[in-house]
Amino acid sequence: MGITQYESIILYELFTHPRLSQKELVYRSGIPKQSISKGIHNLAELGYLEISSADQDKRVKYCSLTESGLAYAREKEGEILAIEKKVIDKLGFDRAALACQILAEWSDLLSKEIANLKEKKQK
């Protein structure tokens, strides 16, 4: 049995960022909180990730890959990372970083405008 697309994205994010909170996973992936939560718990049941609470605030949950999760992510996500590296090498690190920054700003602005539109329609 494979994993869902959402779970694959969670694996990718944790493979490239070893420890993330659920909130950070939602922000980085753009996946709804409920789907992230379900994916986290499914991956934890499979033994691919572990969940821990923050020391200062027990409500904040952090996720990190287990050894088997790292191995699985390396197998499944390694090919994607190799392709990303090729693209970055061709584009150049500075231009690739700028592209990511612009895309993040685009996404944030678009999300805000959509939220504004929804708010106006509810009035």
Side-chain angles (χ1 to χ4, degrees), residues 44-60:
E45 285 179 19
L46 291 169
Y48 292 151
L49 69 78
E50 55 191 12
I51 304 166
S52 59
S53 297
D55 292 335
Q56 297 83 4
D57 187 347
K58 299 297 181 195
R59 295 173 296 175
V60 177

Side-chain angles (χ1 to χ4, degrees), residues 28-89:
R28 295 190 64 76
S29 68
I31 297 171
K33 183 179 177 181
Q34 183 177 359
S35 298
I36 287 288
S37 181
K38 183 177 179 184
I40 287 170
H41 286 89
N42 288 345
L43 290 169
E45 285 179 19
L46 291 169
Y48 292 151
L49 69 78
E50 55 191 12
I51 304 166
S52 59
S53 297
D55 292 335
Q56 297 83 4
D57 187 347
K58 299 297 181 195
R59 295 173 296 175
V60 177
K61 303 294 182 196
Y62 284 98
C63 302
S64 55
L65 295 178
T66 62
E67 286 301 318
S68 62
L70 277 171
Y72 187 81
R74 203 173 285 120
E75 174 189 336
K76 298 294 181 185
E77 309 299 334
E79 191 173 353
I80 293 169
L81 290 171
I83 292 168
E84 282 185 345
K85 184 177 178 344
K86 266 187 189 177
V87 171
I88 290 169
D89 289 346

Side-chain angles (χ1 to χ4, degrees), residues 6 9 16 24 35 47 53 63 74 79 98 100 109 112 116:
Y6 286 169
I9 292 169
T16 56
E24 290 168 324
S35 298
S53 297
C63 302
R74 203 173 285 120
E79 191 173 353
L98 181 59
C100 289
L109 289 170
K112 287 176 185 172
N116 288 342

